[in-house]
Amino acid sequence: MKIVIMNGSPRVDGNTAAMVEAFARGAKEAGHQVETLEVGTMKINGCRSCNYCRGAGNGACVQQDDMQKVYPVVKDAEMIVFASPVYYFTMSAQLQAAIQRFYCWGQHPTMKKGVLLLSSYSQNVYDGAKGEYAGILRYFGASDCGIVTSDNSTNKTEAKLNECYELGRSLK
């Protein structure tokens, strides 16, 4: 299976990155093709709602930014992993911008499965991100393969990273 991980953290060695690395290692060991996109460090603008993509653009966004690197990789993904720190009750603004730019496609052409990896300093702040993730899966007709959350008491612990690794290894 082709898996694309969209890491929405701007911290390249942060808690979310550790979760992504552990998940990716497990998925690769299970025989999956895995590619990680560091959208948290890319220059991606939010959707302008100009509807160019729905008209003259024929599904292509008018904006020319780092999403041009994301579209071709994500377009063929059978699974998308949304990985994000939670700063204020939902996925990072960087990941949000990339997700909103999927508007140009309407339905995702190949995504059938999803995973959500979330890290935060605080506990019990994940409901907004989980709700958005559930809505994305419903809209794309995709199934949930798992959600892992981590807070300051578990970030980068062996147990939490093993949970991410085992989730990756368990994928069918």
Side-chain angles (χ1 to χ4, degrees):
M1 171 170 41
K2 182 178 178 187
I3 301 171
V4 174
I5 303 171
M6 296 179 67
N7 182 358
S9 178
R11 297 180 181 163
V12 294
D13 293 321
N15 299 318
T16 306
M19 294 173 77
V20 164
E21 199 285 333
F23 175 87
R25 188 169 36 89
K28 287 175 185 175
E29 286 180 17
H32 301 289
Q33 177 188 348
V34 180
E35 186 164 352
T36 301
L37 295 169
E38 300 294 341
V39 297
T41 61
M42 293 180 178
K43 301 292 184 204
I44 299 173
N45 299 314
C47 178
R48 291 192 212 167
S49 187
C50 67
N51 278 325
Y52 173 83
C53 60
R54 299 289 174 99
N58 292 315
C61 183
V62 71
Q63 298 185 74
Q64 298 297 307
D65 57 12
D66 284 345
M67 270 307 280
Q68 304 313 310
K69 300 173 189 172
V70 174
Y71 287 131
V73 176
V74 173
K75 191 169 189 166
D76 298 330
E78 297 164 85
M79 171 182 279
I80 299 177
V81 177
F82 300 99
S84 181
V86 175
Y87 300 132
Y88 204 70
F89 302 105
T90 193
M91 294 183 230
S92 70
Q94 294 89 337
L95 184 54
Q96 290 284 343
I99 290 170
Q100 290 175 8
R101 295 280 293 282
F102 289 167
Y103 175 75
C104 66
W105 289 334
Q107 292 289 334
H108 186 280
T110 58
M111 179 183 168
K112 300 294 179 225
K113 299 177 181 183
V115 164
L116 182 63
L117 304 176
L118 300 171
S119 65
S120 181
Y121 182 83
S122 302
Q123 298 177 354
N124 304 315
V125 295
Y126 308 107
D127 289 347
K130 288 178 177 180
E132 180 180 5
Y133 169 70
I136 291 168
L137 294 182
R138 273 192 306 275
Y139 184 72
F140 289 156
S143 61
D144 171 37
C145 291
I147 298 172
V148 179
T149 63
S150 185
D151 61 55
N152 197 47
S153 67
T154 59
N155 283 329
K156 292 189 178 179
T157 62
E158 184 178 337
K160 188 53 67 174
L161 296 179
N162 192 53
E163 182 180 352
C164 295
Y165 168 80
E166 289 299 333
L167 177 56
R169 273 195 52 82
S170 72
L171 297 173
K172 303 282 185 238

